[in-house]
Amino acid sequence: MSATARVSTPLGRVVSLPFPGRIIKAGDPDRETVKTIQHRLNEVGCGPIEETGIFDVETTKKAVKLFQARFPDVSGRPLGIDGEVGSFTWGAMFGAASVPSSSPASSPLVKAAIDFAVTQIGIRERPLGSNRGPEVDQYLRAAGVNPGGGSFAWCVAFTHFCYLKAAESLGRGNPHIKTAGVLDHWNQAGRKSGVLRVTKTQAVGDPGLVKPGSLFIIDLGGGHGHSGMVVETASGRLVTIEGNTNDGGSREGIGVFRREARKINQINKGFIDYSGM
C-alpha cells in the first residue's frame, strides 16, 4: 500500500498509513510511528500534545482515549476506550484502507468450504433448542457423534461438515480435524502438522493473518467454547457463518446464522487456518 494514498475516514480525507502490525501503546519504542499518531491527534483536536515520538501516559495516552471517546471506527461503531492504538483506532485515524482486510479465498478448498457454508444459512434445529434436526444430526454424525446419545453442541461439527463437503467436491481428503469439541479442535490443531494456529495476540497485532475460511475459537470457560467460520474481515471486524448460534452470537443457539458483529480482539483463543493444506 502506498503511504501517500488518500482515503476517506469519519474525519474526512487523510493520508493513509499502513497499520504497523501491532498495538501501539505507552512505552512503544518506534518514535516515528508515535510521532505520526501524535500529529494526527493534534490535527483532529485531541491535543494539543507535543509531537515528541514518546508515547507517555500523561499526555499521549490521554489524547488517544479522548480520540476513542469522540470518534467511531470505520463502520460507525464506538471504539473501545483503552488509550492504545490497535487496528480499530488506527483505521479510524488513518482510514479503512490502512488496515488489512480479507483477500479472496486463498485456496480452492477454502472457497468451496465458504460456498457450502453459505448454503446452510437459515438451517434451524427441529425442534428449536433441541440440538437436533435432520441437518444438525448429519453434522454431528460426520464429526463422529451419535446425535441420539444426548444433547450436543454442534458449532464445530458444522465447520467440519462444511470442509468435508468442500473436500468431497474436490475429490480430496478433508484436513479439518474430526471433532465436535471447540477446545479439542484448538488443542489438536496445535499438534497437527500443516495446520496454522493464529493466537489472539498475533491476530490483534496483524489482522491480515485472519483469512477467509479461518475458524475462530472462543474459550468460554468450564471446558465450553464456541466456533464459526470467518468469511470476510474488514479493519479488525469479522463477518462469520456460525452453527448452533443465534443473532446474539450464543454458543447454544438454534441454527446457522451469518453474523457481522464479532471483532478480532474479542476472539480470546485464536483462529485455525486450513488454507495451507
Side-chain angles (χ1 to χ4, degrees):
M1 179 191 304
S2 168
T4 59
R6 289 190 173 274
V7 297
S8 294
T9 75
L11 304 171
R13 295 183 67 79
V14 63
V15 174
S16 178
L17 300 173
F19 180 59
R22 69 182 192 284
I23 296 174
I24 302 97
K25 55 188 177 181
D28 193 286
D30 185 347
R31 297 186 69 147
E32 287 305 310
T33 296
V34 173
K35 191 178 293 186
T36 299
I37 291 169
Q38 291 170 330
H39 181 70
R40 185 64 177 145
L41 290 168
N42 282 328
E43 280 188 325
V44 300
C46 292
I49 58 174
E50 290 188 66
E51 298 175 19
T52 62
I54 298 172
F55 199 128
D56 63 302
V57 173
E58 288 304 314
T59 59
T60 305
K61 184 172 183 177
K62 286 182 178 179
V64 171
K65 283 186 172 182
L66 180 59
F67 177 91
Q68 292 168 328
R70 286 182 174 177
F71 299 105
D73 68 17
V74 295
S75 63
R77 294 179 170 120
L79 290 166
I81 303 174
D82 59 7
E84 299 179 355
V85 183
S87 60
F88 284 102
T89 300
W90 186 278
M93 285 183 176
F94 300 109
S98 66
V99 180
S101 295
S102 59
S103 55
S106 54
S107 73
L109 176 70
V110 167
K111 182 179 186 306
I114 292 173
D115 288 347
F116 182 81
V118 170
T119 71
Q120 302 300 285
I121 296 171
I123 294 294
R124 297 292 184 266
E125 297 174 350
R126 285 186 259 172
L128 296 179
S130 67
N131 283 342
R132 295 295 304 274
E135 296 87 359
V136 173
D137 288 358
Q138 192 176 25
Y139 304 152
L140 287 166
R141 288 192 184 98
V145 176
N146 175 13
S151 179
F152 296 97
W154 49 274
C155 57
V156 178
F158 168 71
T159 62
H160 172 266
F161 193 77
C162 291
Y163 268 90
L164 176 64
K165 301 306 287 185
E168 289 176 351
S169 74
L170 297 170
R172 56 154 294 173
N174 180 15
H176 190 300
I177 293 165
K178 186 175 181 178
T179 180
V182 176
L183 301 183
D184 182 55
H185 190 199
W186 178 259
N187 293 333
Q188 285 200 56
R191 299 190 295 268
K192 186 172 181 179
S193 176
V195 180
L196 175 63
R197 290 198 315 180
V198 179
T199 66
K200 175 185 177 178
T201 299
Q202 292 169 323
V204 170
D206 184 358
L209 294 174
V210 181
K211 300 175 183 176
S214 297
L215 310 172
F216 70 80
I217 305 293
I218 298 174
D219 185 347
L220 297 171
H224 303 297
H226 183 59
S227 184
M229 184 182 297
V230 175
V231 295
E232 296 176 31
T233 68
S235 302
R237 195 172 295 280
L238 303 173
V239 177
T240 59
I241 298 176
E242 306 171 27
N244 204 183
T245 193
N246 54 28
D247 283 327
S250 168
R251 68 170 290 273
E252 278 292 357
I254 58 172
V256 179
F257 288 75
R258 184 181 190 271
R259 303 196 66 250
E260 300 183 2
R262 298 200 187 277
K263 300 177 181 179
I264 286 177
N265 61 10
Q266 294 172 334
I267 307 302
N268 65 358
K269 205 72 174 175
F271 300 83
I272 298 173
D273 183 352
Y274 287 109
S275 64
M277 298 187 71

